[in-house]
């Protein structure tokens, strides 16, 4: 069973990656852009982005730097903490997400073959499995 979970995770990641590859973006960069879009134009500190990341092992500062280089995000000094950096999404970042949204929606529609009851059952089982780590 564990092998099937790992295999399925990697399969899902690869399928999602196909959508990002042609736009020269990684899954982690996409995650950061989604977090930034969720801020609705309000700045967010890099540490706060890290807390919201799906992949906690990602180097958020490096991811933000790559988004800055692609002009998908911009940063400024935090007014309340000079050691911190605020990050916001740019118009180019929002435009890229708008292009990617239909691809992601199609990708997520793959799960429509699973009923709501089955999805709840799978989620409960996965939650139960992770609870053994506490």
């Amino acid at each position: 069973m564990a092998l099937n979970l790992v295999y399925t995770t990697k399969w899902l990641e690869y399928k999602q990656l196909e959508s990002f590859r042609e736009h020269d973006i990684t899954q982690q960069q996409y995650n950061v852009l989604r977090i930034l879009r969720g801020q609705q134009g309000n700045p967010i500190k890099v540490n706060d982005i890290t807390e919201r990341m799906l992949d906690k092992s990602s180097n958020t500062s490096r991811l933000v730097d790559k988004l800055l280089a692609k002009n998908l995000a911009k940063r400024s000094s935090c007014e309340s903490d000079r050691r911190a950096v605020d990050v916001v999404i740019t118009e180019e970042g929002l435009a890229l997400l708008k292009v990617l949204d239909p691809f992601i929606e199609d990708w997520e529609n793959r799960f429509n073959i699973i009923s709501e009851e089955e999805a709840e059952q799978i989620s409960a089982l996965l939650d139960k499995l992770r609870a053994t780590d506490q």
Side-chain angles (χ1 to χ4, degrees), residues 124-134:
L125 290 170
L126 291 172
D127 290 344
K128 182 178 180 179
L129 183 63
R130 284 192 310 275
T132 63
D133 195 33
Q134 296 175 358

Side-chain angles (χ1 to χ4, degrees), residues 86-115:
D86 284 332
V87 183
V88 294
I89 194 166
T90 62
E91 289 299 321
E92 290 88 344
L94 289 170
L96 176 59
L97 287 179
K98 198 169 200 163
V99 168
L100 289 171
D101 283 344
F103 292 105
I104 299 304
E105 185 176 331
D106 286 345
W107 181 81
E108 289 175 351
N109 284 337
R110 291 176 181 263
F111 299 100
N112 289 341
I113 62 167
I114 297 173
S115 72

Side-chain angles (χ1 to χ4, degrees), residues 64-81:
V64 168
D65 287 343
K66 293 200 180 233
L67 294 173
L68 293 168
K70 296 175 185 182
N71 202 32
L72 300 173
K74 62 182 177 179
R75 70 171 147 207
S76 61
S77 297
C78 177
E79 292 181 18
S80 62
D81 182 356

